[in-house]
Amino acid sequence: MRLRVEPFGAWARLDSVPALVALDRDAVRRLGIDGGALWDGPEDAPETAPLEAHVAVTSRCGAGCKGCYLDATPDGAVPAFEDVVGRLEALARAGIFTVAFGGGEPLSREDLGALGAAARRLKLSPVVTTSGIGMTAERARELRVFEQVNVSYDGASEAYRSVRGFDGAKIAERAMSLLAAAAVPFGINLVLTRGTFDAVEESVARAVSLGAREVQLLRFKPAGRGTGTQYEAARLDEGQAREVVPLLARLSGAGNFRVRIDCAMVPYFSAHDVDPTLLARYGVYGCEAGRRLLAVTSDGSISPCSFAAPAAPFSERTVRGLHRSLPVLAFRGHADSPPAPCSTCALRSVCRGGCRIVASHAGSLSAPDPECPRVLAHRRGSLA
Ligand code: SF4
Ligand code: SF4
């Protein structure tokens, strides 16, 4: 077990199952550990460092997805192995638990397995997201070092093409079969879009039949190549946003696989009567940018989340002090003291005011999430 003492108690990363557990001060004392000076102050003081880092190990990718949030290209930058390992070392020293490798296409790096092994040696939990382009039986075996591999899969043929602009479904499905044959735990990342929303259950069933153990649903973000009219065409309409929670309920009972949602989807819960303490207990959190989450770009900058602009050059000091830095305080200003209707929302403590990337794209970093059903009702004057 890896323990990180915090003002509230401690975070404990378990070895027996891949889980991160929050322990209160009493529970930590029972383990024979005292929080020292950290426990002299209030329990709700800021935590010592983020929990998870999204690390772009390359900006190179040949897929050309039309909505790529990073605007990755075939000749994108590829940081040296030693530079990425140096960043992992700093993240480990700062107390980060999970590193999520992304890109660009991580598989375009021949040393991806070695990077995963380096993370393991540093007691970090590495996961990686791939389109599957470049997957072979040998590469799949190499990925056993990762705690989990996430394959980007937006559905069979037409659904995939409409989201990404090319038919990569077969490539993703082949990658899943190779991972299953190599006994690598894998899940899928499925982006919800207006045109493919009705095909989600079918797409999930297909991935599960190929061995996926987890399904992570993601909101389309207006970043990189996915802005402007591209975003307007892809984002869920209000009726679909209200249908997300019923969809999650159906998927949760549909078979032997886990269902997860990304940070930006929590506002959709506002269309339903959902107990926020229940969401918190199961680790369903909204915008954690610059708080429990940070991102490291391929050129070595640090930002509040993968979709946000760089806030500072990367260093161990900036990792530790990220939540106190001025650009991040500005980025998080809405979450910390939001206007109506977030200020009176029962979900505020978990949602944190919705996605800042979507709000910025709509015109203001400090405005409520303009696609939240509760925000829309407030603007129409029909909020109950
Ligand atoms: S009103 Fe604000 S806090 Fe509440 S769910 Fe919507 S975006 Fe989140
Ligand atoms: S701004 Fe917040 S909710 Fe939006 S993608 Fe970043 S972390 Fe997630």
Side-chain angles (χ1 to χ4, degrees), residues 221 263-264 286-289 293 305 307 331 354-357:
K221 316 290 188 314
C263 44
C287 187
E288 289 292 338
L293 174 70
C305 81
F307 305 93
F331 193 83
C355 181
R356 297 300 85 212
I357 302 301

Side-chain angles (χ1 to χ4, degrees), residues 54 219 221 262-267 285-290 293 304-308 331-332 351-360 365 369:
H54 292 182
R219 186 170 168 187
K221 316 290 188 314
D262 85 342
C263 44
M265 285 180 49
V266 176
Y285 283 111
C287 187
E288 289 292 338
L293 174 70
C305 81
S306 310
F307 305 93
F331 193 83
R332 298 200 51 76
C351 175
R352 301 188 193 286
C355 181
R356 297 300 85 212
I357 302 301
V358 175
S360 300
L365 175 65
D369 188 321

Side-chain angles (χ1 to χ4, degrees), residues 266-267 270 334 341-342 345 347-348 351-354 368-369 372 374-375:
V266 176
S270 72
H334 173 79
C342 298
C345 179
L347 292 178
R348 179 185 155 192
C351 175
R352 301 188 193 286
D369 188 321
C372 164
R374 190 169 188 273
V375 170

Side-chain angles (χ1 to χ4, degrees), residues 108-130:
S108 67
R109 290 192 70 122
E110 291 301 321
D111 56 7
L112 181 60
L115 285 174
R120 286 283 193 192
R121 279 195 297 279
L122 293 163
K123 307 274 184 252
L124 294 163
S125 301
V127 298
V128 63
T129 299
T130 174

Side-chain angles (χ1 to χ4, degrees), residues 78 81 105-115 134 136 138-139 142:
V78 184
F81 179 82
E105 172 48 62
L107 264 185
S108 67
R109 290 192 70 122
E110 291 301 321
D111 56 7
L112 181 60
L115 285 174
T136 62
E138 190 184 346
R139 298 298 313 268
E142 204 182 292

Side-chain angles (χ1 to χ4, degrees), residues 34-120:
D34 185 88
L38 264 186
W39 288 359
D40 291 342
E43 295 194 6
D44 60 356
E47 294 173 22
T48 57
L51 300 175
E52 179 171 332
H54 292 182
V55 179
V57 294
T58 177
S59 294
R60 186 166 292 178
C61 180
C65 297
K66 62 182 182 181
C68 177
Y69 70 89
L70 197 84
D71 201 8
T73 58
D75 56 359
V78 184
F81 179 82
E82 296 72 24
D83 289 344
V84 180
V85 172
R87 290 166 198 166
L88 296 177
E89 288 169 349
L91 292 169
R93 283 195 300 271
I96 302 287
F97 289 98
T98 301
V99 282
F101 289 0
E105 172 48 62
L107 264 185
S108 67
R109 290 192 70 122
E110 291 301 321
D111 56 7
L112 181 60
L115 285 174
R120 286 283 193 192

Side-chain angles (χ1 to χ4, degrees), residues 9 11 16 21 28 34-35 92 103 121 154 188 201 219 222 227 232 253 267 276 283 288 305 308 310 357:
W11 285 108
S16 49
V21 180
V28 180
D34 185 88
R121 279 195 297 279
D154 299 320
I188 59 162
E201 284 161 280
R219 186 170 168 187
T227 54
E232 289 308 314
E288 289 292 338
C305 81
I357 302 301

